[in-house]
Short mmCIF file of all heavy atoms in Angstrom, two decimals:
data_model
loop_
_atom_site.label_atom_id
_atom_site.label_comp_id
_atom_site.label_asym_id
_atom_site.label_seq_id
_atom_site.Cartn_x
_atom_site.Cartn_y
_atom_site.Cartn_z
N ARG A 30 -13.80 6.61 10.23
CA ARG A 30 -14.28 6.21 11.65
C ARG A 30 -15.87 6.18 11.61
O ARG A 30 -16.45 6.99 11.13
CB ARG A 30 -13.80 7.33 12.56
CG ARG A 30 -14.20 7.44 14.03
CD ARG A 30 -15.54 7.82 14.23
NE ARG A 30 -15.79 9.26 14.24
CZ ARG A 30 -16.84 9.77 13.57
NH1 ARG A 30 -17.63 9.15 12.89
NH2 ARG A 30 -17.01 11.09 13.61
N ASN A 32 -18.73 5.83 14.46
CA ASN A 32 -18.90 5.78 15.91
C ASN A 32 -20.04 4.86 16.18
O ASN A 32 -21.11 5.25 15.81
CB ASN A 32 -19.13 7.25 16.53
CG ASN A 32 -19.15 7.24 17.90
OD1 ASN A 32 -18.69 6.40 18.55
ND2 ASN A 32 -19.53 8.36 18.50
N GLY A 35 -21.69 6.91 21.68
CA GLY A 35 -20.83 7.95 22.46
C GLY A 35 -20.70 9.19 21.62
O GLY A 35 -19.64 9.50 21.14
N GLU A 36 -21.87 9.82 21.30
CA GLU A 36 -21.73 10.96 20.46
C GLU A 36 -21.72 12.25 21.24
O GLU A 36 -22.63 12.41 22.16
CB GLU A 36 -23.01 10.84 19.57
CG GLU A 36 -22.75 11.29 18.12
CD GLU A 36 -21.82 10.40 17.26
OE1 GLU A 36 -20.59 10.69 17.39
OE2 GLU A 36 -22.35 9.58 16.56
N HIS A 37 -20.83 13.17 20.86
CA HIS A 37 -20.60 14.49 21.47
C HIS A 37 -20.11 14.37 22.99
O HIS A 37 -20.18 15.31 23.78
CB HIS A 37 -21.80 15.33 21.42
CG HIS A 37 -21.96 15.84 19.98
ND1 HIS A 37 -21.47 17.06 19.57
CD2 HIS A 37 -22.46 15.27 18.90
CE1 HIS A 37 -21.76 17.28 18.36
NE2 HIS A 37 -22.36 16.22 17.81
N THR A 38 -19.74 13.17 23.41
CA THR A 38 -19.28 13.06 24.80
C THR A 38 -17.75 13.28 24.75
O THR A 38 -17.16 13.59 25.81
CB THR A 38 -19.39 11.50 25.22
OG1 THR A 38 -19.08 10.64 24.13
CG2 THR A 38 -20.84 11.24 25.61
N ASP A 39 -17.07 13.16 23.60
CA ASP A 39 -15.43 13.24 23.68
C ASP A 39 -15.08 14.58 24.17
O ASP A 39 -14.09 14.63 25.03
CB ASP A 39 -14.88 12.79 22.32
CG ASP A 39 -15.17 13.59 21.09
OD1 ASP A 39 -16.10 14.54 21.25
OD2 ASP A 39 -14.57 13.49 20.06
N TYR A 40 -15.60 15.69 23.74
CA TYR A 40 -15.12 17.06 24.18
C TYR A 40 -15.62 17.32 25.55
O TYR A 40 -15.50 18.46 26.10
CB TYR A 40 -15.27 18.11 23.12
CG TYR A 40 -16.72 18.30 22.72
CD1 TYR A 40 -17.68 19.07 23.42
CD2 TYR A 40 -17.27 17.68 21.63
CE1 TYR A 40 -19.01 19.22 22.98
CE2 TYR A 40 -18.59 17.70 21.21
CZ TYR A 40 -19.45 18.56 21.92
OH TYR A 40 -20.73 18.73 21.53
N SER A 128 -15.92 11.17 9.37
CA SER A 128 -14.52 11.67 9.86
C SER A 128 -13.54 11.69 8.61
O SER A 128 -12.41 11.35 8.74
CB SER A 128 -14.03 10.72 10.90
OG SER A 128 -13.44 11.63 11.86
N GLU A 162 -6.74 20.67 14.05
CA GLU A 162 -8.03 20.93 13.67
C GLU A 162 -8.58 22.15 14.42
O GLU A 162 -9.32 22.91 13.89
CB GLU A 162 -8.97 19.61 13.86
CG GLU A 162 -10.40 19.91 13.41
CD GLU A 162 -11.06 18.68 12.92
OE1 GLU A 162 -10.41 17.56 12.62
OE2 GLU A 162 -12.28 18.68 12.79
N CYS A 170 -13.18 20.18 18.00
CA CYS A 170 -13.52 18.81 18.06
C CYS A 170 -12.93 18.13 19.27
O CYS A 170 -11.95 18.63 19.89
CB CYS A 170 -13.12 18.11 16.88
SG CYS A 170 -11.31 18.08 16.67
N GLY A 171 -13.54 17.04 19.63
CA GLY A 171 -12.81 16.20 20.69
C GLY A 171 -11.76 15.24 20.10
O GLY A 171 -11.27 15.58 18.96
N ILE A 172 -11.24 14.17 20.72
CA ILE A 172 -10.15 13.42 20.41
C ILE A 172 -10.61 12.14 19.59
O ILE A 172 -9.73 11.48 19.05
CB ILE A 172 -9.22 13.20 21.57
CG1 ILE A 172 -7.92 12.40 21.22
CG2 ILE A 172 -9.94 12.33 22.60
CD1 ILE A 172 -6.91 13.37 20.57
N MET A 173 -11.97 11.93 19.67
CA MET A 173 -12.38 10.55 19.24
C MET A 173 -11.93 10.23 17.82
O MET A 173 -11.40 9.17 17.50
CB MET A 173 -13.91 10.46 19.15
CG MET A 173 -14.46 9.22 18.58
SD MET A 173 -16.25 9.10 18.75
CE MET A 173 -16.84 10.41 17.84
N ASP A 174 -12.17 11.05 16.88
CA ASP A 174 -11.82 10.72 15.47
C ASP A 174 -10.28 10.44 15.26
O ASP A 174 -9.93 9.41 14.65
CB ASP A 174 -12.39 11.77 14.55
CG ASP A 174 -13.66 12.18 14.69
OD1 ASP A 174 -14.44 11.37 15.41
OD2 ASP A 174 -14.21 13.25 14.27
N GLN A 175 -9.54 11.41 15.65
CA GLN A 175 -8.10 11.20 15.44
C GLN A 175 -7.56 9.94 16.18
O GLN A 175 -6.74 9.25 15.65
CB GLN A 175 -7.40 12.46 15.86
CG GLN A 175 -7.71 13.69 15.12
CD GLN A 175 -8.92 14.35 15.50
OE1 GLN A 175 -9.57 14.00 16.46
NE2 GLN A 175 -9.32 15.49 14.78
N TYR A 223 -21.16 22.54 14.79
CA TYR A 223 -20.60 21.79 15.89
C TYR A 223 -20.17 22.62 17.05
O TYR A 223 -20.47 22.36 18.24
CB TYR A 223 -19.37 20.97 15.28
CG TYR A 223 -18.62 20.14 16.19
CD1 TYR A 223 -18.98 18.83 16.25
CD2 TYR A 223 -17.58 20.64 16.82
CE1 TYR A 223 -18.31 18.02 17.06
CE2 TYR A 223 -16.83 19.74 17.64
CZ TYR A 223 -17.25 18.48 17.84
OH TYR A 223 -16.62 17.59 18.69
N GLY A 337 -21.87 10.80 13.99
CA GLY A 337 -20.98 11.91 13.87
C GLY A 337 -21.47 13.23 14.47
O GLY A 337 -22.28 13.30 15.24
N GLY A 338 -20.90 14.34 13.83
CA GLY A 338 -21.28 15.70 14.48
C GLY A 338 -22.65 16.09 14.29
O GLY A 338 -23.15 16.93 15.15
C1 LIG B 1 -17.12 15.08 15.30
C2 LIG B 1 -15.92 15.45 16.09
C3 LIG B 1 -15.71 14.44 17.11
C4 LIG B 1 -17.04 14.18 17.95
C5 LIG B 1 -18.16 13.94 17.02
C6 LIG B 1 -19.50 13.81 17.73
O1 LIG B 1 -16.89 13.95 14.50
O2 LIG B 1 -14.82 15.64 15.29
O3 LIG B 1 -14.68 14.96 18.07
O4 LIG B 1 -17.22 15.29 18.88
O5 LIG B 1 -18.28 14.88 16.04
O6 LIG B 1 -19.53 12.72 18.67
#
Side-chain angles (χ1 to χ4, degrees):
R30 169 291 277 133
N32 190 13
E36 217 66 277
H37 286 263
T38 45
D39 61 350
Y40 54 87
S128 220
E162 183 148 346
C170 61
I172 187 76
M173 169 173 69
D174 303 347
Q175 293 80 5
Y223 183 89

